[in-house]
Amino acid sequence: MSEPQHDIALIGLAVMGQNLVLNMANHGHSVAVYNRTASTTEEFIASLPGEGVDKVHEGTVDRVKGYNDLGELCASLKSPRKVMIMVKAGPAVDAVIEAIKPHLDKGDVIIDGGNSYFVDTNRRYDELTKEGYLFVGAGVSGGEEGALKGPSIMPGGSKEAWPLVKPIMQDIAAKVGPNHDVPCCEWVGPAGSGHYVKMVHNGIEYGDMQLICESYFLMKEALGLSNDELYDVFASWNKGVLASYLIEITRDIFSAKDPETGEAMVDLILDVAKQKGTGKWMAQHALDLGVPTTLITEAVYARCLAAQKDERERAEKVLKGPDQTKFDGDRDAFIDAVGDALYASKLVSYAQGYVQMQAAAAEFGWDLAYGDIALMWRGGCIIRSVFLDDIKAAFDKNPQLENLLLDDFFKDAIDKSQSAWREVVQNGVRLGIPMPGFTAALSYYDGYRRSRLPANLLQAQRDYFGAHTYQRLDKPREETFHSEWLDLRKDPGEPAETPEKS
């Protein structure tokens, strides 16, 4: 058998896997590849050199070799071996891990670069650590293009693995900074923290996309803006505080024409949204943690409602809305107000995402560098935007910052946008245009800024019907109380009544 020659192996040659392989090879790393379907491996190797091969680096093709046997694949790797798995999240990841373990030694590195649920990553980390392997759960964001040209990578797991995988991961990651030499990849933390941060990234992505869609719908339905006008609006937004990847691609979408019909492509697309689950996972775990990640949860629900296309078509024939559905005020001022509302709501989305990360870190004992996480999102990923540097600055000033909304930058930005934000929500409600993201963001802000909420009444109700007890404002908070509410009523002698339908 020949001497080990490859720096890393990658298992799973769907488009993401293939592009990561090309990215690694373009940066001078030798890669062994494997796919369960051998013909996929053979077709990929035969396609080289292809569109993704960087012609600047001579010998890129020679640095990629296909294998149809996992034993041979692992034997071809330099020690300590590094194997990256890019297969569908779930049982398939476990199956690959079990298949390669007999061909690895203790101290070798297994990397899961898929969209795995962090709970599974926690479990795999514990199991593989006990067996002596090093395990990395790496969130990879940026889609197919990012995988090829430079994604944002969020690795977590066995800290001992970081020096071994760092050169490759930081080589292939997106680069930012004045000299484009700062990699959007840094160690996140232990166990499943890398995949958790990726999950939060995707949740914020859900929120951002929903808010952008609501902005579009407001301007289209209430103002009647054409696609050309919408292009101009988003183009102007992309030059200011809203500048981001999602604003940029939304601008481009409004200019795209269907080659078959010549009509605007966006108007031909069925209004049924799909999802892969990461936003849902974030919303579910927010409930487990007891943190109010309301905007992102509403974004998930909005996709669920959009999926009920047939039901909505039937309901439209039955249910009425307001008589007035068009905005009759200053058109340009309203467009500016929508931009302000979008900006303020986006800030809330990031704030909620960070609050949930902090709650998860406390739950699992993770020491996360929140400012560095923002820097990893500056390039290569879907939510990259201009104010990520401001998040980094906020945590540099106060590493214990409990909510981004309390930082001066975020506070001032909300203050400047607040009046317009409220105007947009008021008009959207008045005109019958759904805005679950905008309203959830504003309700969260209004709830968070108040020291007193109506939960005192809620707790009284719970104690009344279930003796769940309550705390008092005038007593130490560790003390709990219960009242006999029937005796405290205005008419204590009357029996409790069950309301009847009139």
Side-chain angles (χ1 to χ4, degrees):
M1 184 176 293
S2 60
E3 288 292 318
Q5 56 183 309
H6 300 299
D7 301 314
I8 190 169
L10 189 140
I11 298 174
L13 293 174
V15 177
M16 280 288 290
Q18 291 186 16
N19 283 355
L20 282 172
V21 169
L22 293 175
N23 192 345
M24 293 174 186
N26 286 341
H27 284 87
H29 301 286
S30 177
V31 191
V33 300
Y34 173 92
N35 196 78
R36 185 180 63 174
T37 304
S39 59
T40 301
T41 306
E42 293 163 2
E43 289 168 6
F44 174 57
I45 297 299
S47 72
L48 301 176
E51 184 178 339
V53 175
D54 187 344
K55 305 302 191 299
V56 174
H57 297 285
E58 294 184 7
T60 292
V61 178
D62 297 332
R63 288 191 281 272
V64 182
K65 184 174 180 180
Y67 292 83
N68 293 325
D69 180 87
L70 286 174
E72 293 180 5
L73 177 91
C74 294
S76 74
L77 299 174
K78 300 172 186 176
S79 185
R81 302 178 183 91
K82 295 170 282 293
V83 181
M84 188 169 189
I85 302 169
M86 293 295 298
V87 301
K88 185 177 180 180
V93 178
D94 292 312
V96 172
I97 290 173
E98 288 305 309
I100 62 175
K101 281 197 305 184
H103 308 293
L104 300 177
D105 296 323
K106 292 182 179 181
D108 287 345
V109 184
I110 300 171
I111 307 161
D112 176 14
N115 260 341
S116 288
Y117 188 34
F118 80 95
V119 173
D120 291 333
T121 307
N122 282 344
R123 169 180 56 80
R124 292 170 185 140
Y125 169 80
D126 289 340
E127 293 171 352
L128 291 168
T129 298
K130 290 177 183 176
E131 296 174 12
Y133 303 102
L134 302 180
F135 182 65
V136 175
V140 180
S141 177
E144 298 170 10
E145 182 179 3
L148 177 62
K149 298 181 180 179
S152 170
I153 307 177
M154 296 149 262
S158 306
K159 187 65 180 289
E160 303 89 340
W162 179 229
L164 306 177
V165 301
K166 178 178 179 179
I168 297 176
M169 286 192 172
Q170 292 197 336
D171 273 355
I172 68 173
K175 306 297 190 299
V176 294
N179 300 316
H180 298 284
D181 58 356
V182 180
C184 294
C185 172
E186 193 51 74
W187 189 250
V188 174
S193 58
H195 275 138
Y196 198 96
V197 169
K198 173 58 164 46
M199 180 184 75
V200 171
H201 165 282
N202 283 27
I204 294 172
E205 176 188 312
Y206 272 55
D208 271 9
M209 294 174 72
Q210 177 62 28
L211 293 169
I212 290 171
C213 289
E214 291 177 23
S215 302
Y216 148 70
F217 209 53
L218 277 164
M219 293 184 290
K220 180 180 177 65
E221 294 293 311
L223 299 179
L225 263 61
S226 67
N227 289 322
D228 288 340
E229 290 172 317
L230 287 165
Y231 176 94
D232 291 339
V233 170
F234 277 84
S236 66
W237 284 354
N238 201 46
K239 297 175 183 176
V241 294
L242 284 168
S244 65
Y245 173 73
L246 285 170
I247 294 292
E248 178 184 327
I249 68 169
T250 303
R251 174 204 65 191
D252 294 344
I253 287 168
F254 289 122
S255 68
K257 303 293 184 182
D258 174 34
E260 183 179 336
T261 65
E263 296 182 38
M265 183 66 78
V266 68
D267 294 333
L268 298 175
I269 297 174
L270 185 69
D271 56 316
V272 172
K274 298 183 179 180
Q275 54 184 309
K276 290 189 174 180
T278 44
K280 179 184 72 175
W281 292 344
M282 184 175 176
Q284 288 173 329
H285 198 242
L287 291 171
D288 291 339
L289 293 170
V291 295
T293 312
T294 54
L295 191 161
I296 292 162
T297 302
E298 284 294 345
V300 175
Y301 284 142
R303 295 194 187 194
C304 296
L305 183 59
Q308 297 180 338
K309 177 67 172 177
D310 294 340
E311 294 92 324
R312 289 188 289 113
E313 287 179 337
R314 290 192 293 269
E316 185 178 37
K317 300 173 183 177
V318 179
L319 303 179
K320 285 189 62 178
D323 293 332
Q324 182 180 352
T325 59
K326 299 297 181 182
F327 183 74
D328 54 7
D330 187 320
R331 187 171 183 256
D332 292 337
F334 189 69
I335 292 172
D336 290 341
V338 172
D340 287 341
L342 174 58
Y343 184 52
S345 298
K346 277 171 61 74
L347 297 180
V348 169
S349 182
Y350 282 77
Q352 288 188 354
Y354 267 84
V355 167
Q356 182 161 337
M357 273 195 288
Q358 290 168 313
E363 176 78 9
F364 298 112
W366 298 337
D367 183 16
L368 303 183
Y370 300 107
D372 290 343
I373 289 170
L375 296 186
M376 283 192 283
W377 293 345
R378 289 188 300 171
C381 70
I382 306 303
I383 65 170
R384 57 186 185 266
S385 57
V386 294
F387 60 76
L388 288 166
D389 284 320
D390 297 298
I391 295 178
K392 166 66 171 171
F395 282 104
D396 282 348
K397 283 189 296 182
N398 182 7
Q400 306 305 316
L401 182 66
E402 60 185 10
N403 192 309
L404 283 169
L405 297 179
L406 301 177
D407 177 72
D408 288 342
F409 169 82
F410 286 81
K411 177 182 174 296
D412 292 345
I414 294 285
D415 286 346
K416 292 175 183 176
S417 304
Q418 186 174 160
S419 178
W421 191 13
R422 295 186 186 281
E423 177 193 346
V424 167
V425 170
Q426 288 167 359
N427 278 291
V429 172
R430 181 172 63 87
L431 301 175
I433 299 173
M435 303 172 300
F438 281 144
T439 52
L442 184 57
S443 293
Y444 172 84
Y445 176 77
D446 280 338
Y448 185 66
R449 69 180 179 81
R450 289 176 176 267
S451 65
R452 188 153 175 82
L453 293 172
N456 55 319
L457 176 58
L458 190 151
Q459 203 60 17
Q461 292 170 331
R462 295 183 71 243
D463 191 56
Y464 192 121
F465 66 68
H468 292 295
T469 75
Y470 55 87
Q471 299 155 288
R472 293 176 58 122
L473 289 170
D474 57 348
K475 305 288 184 181
R477 289 194 180 182
E478 61 270 16
E479 296 183 26
T480 57
F481 302 88
H482 166 63
S483 291
E484 295 297 335
W485 293 93
L486 290 174
D487 297 335
L488 297 175
R489 293 182 305 162
K490 180 179 180 181
D491 297 309
E494 294 183 4
E497 297 178 357
T498 301
E500 296 180 1
K501 185 175 180 180
S502 58

